[in-house]
């Protein structure tokens, strides 16, 4: 009987504790939703443009090869999880997917290097600090065929969802240390 009473008391304490844990100690208003940052082409005079272009020039033939031993090291190598490897391999092999149309269709593959548009409220000092950082990210997109491509306007649109007229990869670049390095990420919407 005692054991039953103790178990009942513990259950009541846990129930009260979990209900209290759901209530914040200080009421917090939810943050209002904000517009996603717009993507804009990287400026030709940006110190990052040449680095991202070189990374894209290395990534493109690796993706076109469809050879995991070529593209996997650029997407994280040994740290690229097996499900992520399978997802990228399936995305590249998908005959109706954006990579097939952008990278393998007849005609020239067009490329754009996109960065996030900084808010207009940034000061000159803020912009200089951003330019001087040792890390940066950009989104590289490819499309095949003629001119007048519509490129993603936000990072959410660079998701390689079916029906997109372009294929994209996000590249994180670092110039820390003696050897600059980068890693690509391919998302699927």
């Amino acid at each position: 009987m005692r054991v039953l009473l103790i178990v009942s008391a513990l259950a009541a304490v846990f129930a009260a504790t979990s209900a209290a844990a759901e209530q914040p100690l200080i009421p917090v208003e939810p943050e209002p939703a904000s517009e996603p940052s717009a993507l804009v082409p990287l400026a030709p005079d940006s110190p990052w443009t040449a680095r991202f272009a070189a990374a894209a020039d290395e990534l493109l033939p690796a993706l076109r090869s469809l050879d995991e031993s070529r593209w996997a090291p650029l997407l994280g190598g040994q740290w690229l999880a097996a499900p992520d490897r399978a997802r990228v391999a399936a995305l590249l092999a998908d005959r109706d997917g954006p990579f097939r149309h952008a990278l393998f269709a007849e005609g020239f593959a067009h490329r754009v290097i996109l960065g996030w548009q900084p808010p207009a409220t940034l000061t000159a000092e803020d912009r200089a600090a951003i330019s001087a950082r040792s890390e940066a990210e950009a989104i590289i997109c490819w499309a095949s065929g003629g001119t007048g491509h519509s490129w993603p306007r936000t990072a959410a649109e660079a998701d390689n969802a079916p029906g997109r007229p372009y294929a994209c990869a996000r590249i994180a670049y670092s110039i820390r240390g003696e050897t600059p390095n980068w890693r690509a990420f391919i998302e699927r919407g």
Side-chain angles (χ1 to χ4, degrees), residues 95-162:
R95 292 210 171 273
D96 296 321
F99 276 96
R100 182 64 70 174
H101 295 294
L103 303 182
F104 301 102
E106 291 294 322
F108 179 74
H110 297 275
R111 176 184 77 197
V112 66
I113 303 172
L114 303 167
W116 287 262
Q117 182 173 8
T121 57
L122 287 181
T123 65
E125 293 83 26
D126 292 336
R127 290 177 191 274
I130 290 171
S131 294
R133 289 191 336 212
S134 58
E135 298 95 16
E137 286 191 7
I139 294 179
I140 314 298
C141 297
W142 298 273
S144 190
T147 60
H149 294 288
S150 112
W151 299 109
R153 293 171 300 197
T154 65
E157 293 177 4
D159 62 355
N160 299 306

Side-chain angles (χ1 to χ4, degrees), residues 6-35:
I6 292 172
V7 170
S8 297
L10 285 174
V13 168
F14 286 131
T17 303
S18 66
E22 293 175 14
Q23 299 290 329
L25 295 175
I26 300 171
V28 178
E29 292 293 320
E31 290 187 25
S34 62
E35 280 292 312

Side-chain angles (χ1 to χ4, degrees), residues 46-58:
S46 166
W48 292 100
T49 301
R51 290 181 175 108
F52 283 116
D57 289 344
E58 189 176 344

